[in-house]
Amino acid sequence: MDASIIKKVRRAQPLIHHLTNQVVMNFTANGLLAFGGSPIMAKAKEEAEDIGKIVDGVLINIGTVMPQDVQSMILAGKTANERDIPVVFDPVGVKASSFRNEVAKEILQVVRPTIIKGNASELAYLANIPWESKGVDSVGTGDVEEVAIKIAQIYETTVVLTGETDVICTGEELIHNMLGHELLTRMTGAGCLLGSIITACLTTNDPTELQAKTAVSFYGLAAQYAATRQNVTGPGTFIPQFIDALSMEVEALRGGNYA
Amino acid sequence: MDASIIKKVRRAQPLIHHLTNQVVMNFTANGLLAFGGSPIMAKAKEEAEDIGKIVDGVLINIGTVMPQDVQSMILAGKTANERDIPVVFDPVGVKASSFRNEVAKEILQVVRPTIIKGNASELAYLANIPWESKGVDSVGTGDVEEVAIKIAQIYETTVVLTGETDVICTGEELIHNMLGHELLTRMTGAGCLLGSIITACLTTNDPTELQAKTAVSFYGLAAQYAATRQNVTGPGTFIPQFIDALSMEVEALRGGNYA
Amino acid sequence: MDASIIKKVRRAQPLIHHLTNQVVMNFTANGLLAFGGSPIMAKAKEEAEDIGKIVDGVLINIGTVMPQDVQSMILAGKTANERDIPVVFDPVGVKASSFRNEVAKEILQVVRPTIIKGNASELAYLANIPWESKGVDSVGTGDVEEVAIKIAQIYETTVVLTGETDVICTGEELIHNMLGHELLTRMTGAGCLLGSIITACLTTNDPTELQAKTAVSFYGLAAQYAATRQNVTGPGTFIPQFIDALSMEVEALRGGNYA
């Protein structure tokens, strides 16, 4: 983790356009604000290009996607590619329906993501590797490194494969992150907000793998810190503490007496 | 209440498809996750059948419904009926507009719910019994048992009528639940999340009335427990504690020193 | 601030129709409920008039607006004008795209708001006064009073311009509010919920400027109180306390030991 990337984000307060799902919009906006970024969540395709011209990064997350949302995602992503600003693509539940699969394929045909981020089941599906899933969650086990490498190759992009251990693959390099906490799996939107934090970190002038590593490590560290706060008795009381932790300095998070 | 039903739900972690309103999506997802279920909230009609084939239960809630959502609700409900998995129908605010009334009627013509769940005003309206309401809330008083019985007869289904005392009607039997807390009426989505918890409980191999009774009793008990937690000073601080309580064992909730 | 206005709201529990953005729906509903109002959030144009006939006030907020939402906003606003009930218009991010600009203009051509509420950048844009913005946030500085006066003149309405100091302009009078807290700027939806609280206060039989002043002062006071609660360590833990504070009496909020 490179704490200077987080400092740069907080100084610049990058404006991140979120084309994301309805379940997590409020949580994601509050999480990114706490971290130090600035969220905008326009949905209409009529404004996707205008918004695309004023933002510093774009997150495309296909949970709860409707047909009328796809064009906005494509326009925002293409505008970001033209302006050479980062795009993160999160294929939430891509395996759950042929519609969502087709939406993912359609977006990936015209938008070049800086990072593709997903759980093992989602990315395995995009890589044509068999994997067990349940709804939008990955429940199987297998060679996550193989999946990450294959996605990096097929889509010529950096990959963040989330799980108990997160795997970051640049195509040339594999990086692992073991910071994190089980409570992140017992709430909704933990992966979605991580996509937003990653997008914010991608707006600095640092190597992509270092930005990705910093985002996922910081996120895991914040979760560990929050989980050990007094009065945290489950996912409901964890969430407000986690939001607060996202606004803290790395040093302070490390001072927490997590196990 | 039969605590073994809750244990079974937690073991199976049933995947519940939510066609629900935009106000409560995040809260519902977190509440069901805490309870032990697994939420999926796909909205597009293009994927309603695919999702319908992989889930264990379906919740249809017509709050904030748009015309483009109705077909998804119908497809998901019909697929659930064909697969013989539970469907819960929550006619939120059905009385507030002729549009919403027509949507409810349209759904009920082709989808057979395992349970219809609503407040007195909503169910009275569906049963053609006069009742006072205010927006999406029931404010009048009357014979709630008559309403529940009539809905059970008309729609040949089990009914959960929520209120200070919840009434469950199987057509043959009336069951009452008095566990609950006033704070549930001072937050948004308490009824909506209950619909989700009921759907999860319906996925076990137990009698419907016992599943329904267990869901509403457990929900009320969790609310009572959460309301007496230290630091709860109103609806805002109640919500995180309530989410945590939903993840607890019945015995632990009963140990709480609620009045 | 006139505490009797808040008492009247809590006695009447006015039903407020929210045509608002997807990011803040849950937070707004919980905040208004805590304050003492009753939210309804119907979205379909097919029910905008029916809902418009049963409510006590209407809030139109164009964040995340989609083309299919505009007709609902117009129908709800026109119905409110015909029934002579209050309408608050919040032009969220109006400057961010020509689409959103056109939506705002289209609404303002046919709906007469009782109050237009926005930050300096949004209102400056509607008044053709140059101002710096960033996404949906105002970051520049300038003569906020000039902006408020010009909006009041152009749209013949009362204006609430939010910022570190809020400016209320009736066309004849300028009122300032300095109650508030910096944490309100570090969470999403603080301005959106304020719009809802203002709408609720407009339903009493008091002068508009007093209603507006009461709403913004109470809101700021509640934020100050919440921010100094034990265990508040950032925006995440602030939010539940803020919701609770919105349900409190003015006297109790004043008793808090805020700086």
Side-chain angles (χ1 to χ4, degrees):
Chain A
M1 168 162 32
D2 180 349
S4 76
I5 289 175
I6 293 162
K7 284 188 209 302
K8 285 182 211 170
V9 169
R10 288 175 177 170
R11 209 152 40 226
Q13 294 181 271
L15 186 61
I16 307 300
H17 190 186
H18 292 68
L19 290 302
T20 192
N21 69 74
Q22 294 180 8
V23 185
V24 304
M25 290 172 88
N26 186 270
F27 172 67
T28 301
N30 276 325
L32 181 62
L33 275 164
F35 180 64
S38 183
I40 185 165
M41 297 195 165
K43 296 200 68 164
K45 69 174 187 298
E46 289 78 2
E47 60 180 349
E49 285 177 275
D50 280 2
I51 304 281
K53 283 173 191 158
I54 59 171
V55 296
D56 302 303
V58 172
L59 171 67
I60 302 173
N61 170 314
I62 63 170
T64 74
V65 66
M66 299 276 273
Q68 62 264 36
D69 300 325
V70 180
Q71 204 54 31
S72 306
M73 292 175 172
I74 287 174
L75 288 169
K78 282 174 73 172
T79 307
N81 283 163
E82 283 159 20
R83 293 185 54 228
D84 207 21
I85 60 168
V87 178
V88 170
F89 180 63
D90 190 346
V92 174
V94 62
K95 195 180 175 177
S97 74
S98 16
F99 168 69
R100 223 177 274 201
N101 178 20
E102 278 155 32
V103 166
K105 293 274 162 68
E106 192 182 342
I107 292 170
L108 286 169
Q109 260 162 21
V110 285
V111 176
R112 294 184 320 277
T114 317
I115 284 185
I116 297 181
K117 183 219 138 282
N119 63 36
S121 145
E122 289 156 354
L123 299 189
Y125 183 74
L126 285 182
N128 283 313
I129 295 173
W131 204 280
E132 200 187 340
S133 65
K134 177 169 182 173
V136 297
D137 296 316
S138 174
V139 293
T141 53
D143 187 341
V144 289
E145 300 189 350
E146 180 199 358
V147 172
I149 291 167
K150 198 159 170 201
I151 291 286
Q153 286 168 344
I154 299 173
Y155 298 101
E156 296 175 1
T157 185
T158 297
V159 177
V160 175
L161 187 155
T162 57
E164 205 177 321
T165 296
D166 305 308
V167 177
I168 298 163
C169 178
T170 60
E172 295 179 359
E173 203 181 350
L174 278 169
I175 302 170
H176 297 81
N177 168 55
M178 276 165 296
L179 294 170
H181 196 277
E182 180 264 344
L183 275 166
L184 289 176
T185 67
R186 292 173 57 204
M187 50 175 289
T188 196
C192 302
L193 172 55
L194 175 58
S196 176
I197 302 288
I198 292 172
T199 314
C201 287
L202 289 177
T203 61
T204 70
N205 59 343
D206 294 282
T208 303
E209 63 271 22
L210 194 58
Q211 294 168 325
K213 166 74 174 160
T214 297
V216 298
S217 303
F218 179 83
Y219 200 75
L221 186 63
Q224 288 184 347
Y225 177 88
T228 57
R229 300 300 292 163
Q230 207 187 357
N231 299 329
V232 170
T233 53
T237 48
F238 169 73
I239 292 170
Q241 298 288 349
F242 180 52
I243 297 277
D244 284 3
L246 289 172
S247 73
M248 290 172 63
E249 303 293 335
V250 174
E251 300 74 26
L253 291 175
R254 283 200 173 121
N257 64 337
Y258 51 85
Chain B
M1 168 163 31
D2 180 347
S4 76
I5 290 175
I6 294 162
K7 284 188 209 302
K8 285 182 212 169
V9 169
R10 289 174 177 170
R11 209 151 41 225
Q13 295 181 272
L15 186 61
I16 308 299
H17 189 186
H18 291 69
L19 290 302
T20 193
N21 70 74
Q22 294 180 8
V23 185
V24 305
M25 291 172 87
N26 186 271
F27 172 66
T28 301
N30 276 325
L32 181 62
L33 274 166
F35 180 64
S38 183
I40 185 164
M41 297 196 164
K43 296 199 68 164
K45 70 174 186 298
E46 288 78 1
E47 58 181 351
E49 286 178 274
D50 279 3
I51 304 280
K53 284 173 192 158
I54 58 170
V55 296
D56 303 303
V58 172
L59 171 67
I60 301 173
N61 171 314
I62 64 170
T64 73
V65 66
M66 299 276 273
Q68 62 265 35
D69 300 326
V70 180
Q71 203 52 32
S72 306
M73 291 175 172
I74 287 175
L75 288 170
K78 282 174 74 172
T79 307
N81 282 164
E82 283 159 19
R83 292 185 55 227
D84 207 21
I85 60 168
V87 178
V88 171
F89 180 62
D90 190 347
V92 174
V94 62
K95 196 180 174 177
S97 74
S98 14
F99 168 68
R100 223 176 275 200
N101 178 22
E102 279 155 32
V103 167
K105 294 275 163 67
E106 192 182 342
I107 292 169
L108 286 169
Q109 261 162 21
V110 287
V111 176
R112 297 183 319 276
T114 317
I115 283 186
I116 296 181
K117 183 219 138 280
N119 63 36
S121 145
E122 289 156 353
L123 299 190
Y125 183 75
L126 285 183
N128 283 313
I129 295 173
W131 206 280
E132 199 187 340
S133 65
K134 177 169 183 173
V136 297
D137 296 317
S138 174
V139 294
T141 52
D143 187 342
V144 290
E145 300 190 350
E146 181 200 356
V147 172
I149 292 167
K150 197 158 170 202
I151 292 287
Q153 286 169 344
I154 300 172
Y155 299 100
E156 296 175 1
T157 184
T158 298
V159 177
V160 175
L161 187 156
T162 57
E164 205 177 321
T165 296
D166 305 308
V167 177
I168 298 163
C169 179
T170 60
E172 295 180 359
E173 202 181 350
L174 278 168
I175 302 169
H176 297 80
N177 169 55
M178 276 166 296
L179 293 170
H181 196 277
E182 180 264 343
L183 275 167
L184 289 176
T185 67
R186 293 173 57 206
M187 53 175 288
T188 197
C192 302
L193 172 55
L194 175 57
S196 175
I197 303 288
I198 292 172
T199 315
C201 287
L202 288 177
T203 61
T204 69
N205 58 344
D206 294 284
T208 304
E209 64 271 22
L210 193 58
Q211 293 168 324
K213 166 74 175 161
T214 297
V216 298
S217 303
F218 179 84
Y219 201 75
L221 185 64
Q224 289 184 346
Y225 177 88
T228 57
R229 299 302 291 165
Q230 206 187 358
N231 299 327
V232 170
T233 53
T237 48
F238 169 72
I239 292 170
Q241 298 288 350
F242 181 52
I243 297 276
D244 283 4
L246 289 173
S247 73
M248 290 172 61
E249 302 294 333
V250 174
E251 300 74 26
L253 292 175
R254 283 200 173 121
N257 65 336
Y258 52 85
Chain C
M1 168 162 32
D2 180 348
S4 77
I5 289 175
I6 293 162
K7 284 189 208 302
K8 284 183 212 168
V9 169
R10 289 174 177 171
R11 208 150 42 225
Q13 294 180 272
L15 186 60
I16 307 300
H17 189 186
H18 292 69
L19 290 302
T20 193
N21 70 74
Q22 294 180 8
V23 184
V24 304
M25 291 172 87
N26 186 270
F27 172 66
T28 301
N30 276 325
L32 181 63
L33 274 165
F35 180 64
S38 183
I40 186 165
M41 297 196 164
K43 296 199 69 165
K45 70 173 187 298
E46 288 79 2
E47 60 180 348
E49 286 177 275
D50 279 2
I51 305 281
K53 283 174 192 158
I54 59 171
V55 296
D56 303 302
V58 172
L59 171 68
I60 300 173
N61 170 313
I62 63 170
T64 73
V65 65
M66 298 276 273
Q68 62 264 36
D69 300 325
V70 179
Q71 203 54 31
S72 307
M73 291 175 173
I74 287 174
L75 288 170
K78 283 174 73 170
T79 307
N81 283 163
E82 283 159 20
R83 292 185 54 226
D84 207 21
I85 61 169
V87 178
V88 171
F89 180 62
D90 190 347
V92 174
V94 62
K95 195 180 175 177
S97 75
S98 12
F99 168 68
R100 224 177 273 200
N101 177 20
E102 279 155 31
V103 166
K105 294 272 162 68
E106 191 182 342
I107 292 169
L108 286 169
Q109 261 162 20
V110 287
V111 177
R112 296 184 318 278
T114 317
I115 284 185
I116 295 181
K117 183 218 138 280
N119 63 35
S121 147
E122 289 157 354
L123 299 189
Y125 183 75
L126 285 182
N128 283 314
I129 295 173
W131 204 280
E132 199 186 339
S133 64
K134 176 169 184 172
V136 297
D137 296 316
S138 174
V139 294
T141 53
D143 187 341
V144 289
E145 299 189 350
E146 180 200 358
V147 172
I149 291 167
K150 198 158 170 203
I151 291 286
Q153 286 169 346
I154 300 173
Y155 298 101
E156 296 176 0
T157 185
T158 297
V159 177
V160 174
L161 187 155
T162 57
E164 204 176 321
T165 296
D166 305 309
V167 177
I168 298 164
C169 177
T170 61
E172 296 179 0
E173 201 182 350
L174 277 169
I175 302 169
H176 297 80
N177 168 55
M178 276 166 297
L179 293 170
H181 196 278
E182 179 263 345
L183 275 167
L184 288 176
T185 66
R186 292 173 57 205
M187 51 175 289
T188 196
C192 302
L193 172 55
L194 175 58
S196 175
I197 303 288
I198 292 172
T199 314
C201 287
L202 289 176
T203 61
T204 70
N205 57 344
D206 294 282
T208 304
E209 64 272 22
L210 194 58
Q211 294 167 324
K213 166 73 174 159
T214 297
V216 299
S217 304
F218 179 84
Y219 200 74
L221 186 63
Q224 289 183 348
Y225 176 88
T228 57
R229 299 302 290 165
Q230 206 187 357
N231 298 328
V232 169
T233 53
T237 48
F238 169 72
I239 291 170
Q241 298 288 349
F242 181 52
I243 297 277
D244 283 4
L246 289 173
S247 73
M248 290 172 63
E249 302 293 334
V250 175
E251 301 74 27
L253 291 175
R254 283 201 173 121
N257 64 337
Y258 52 84

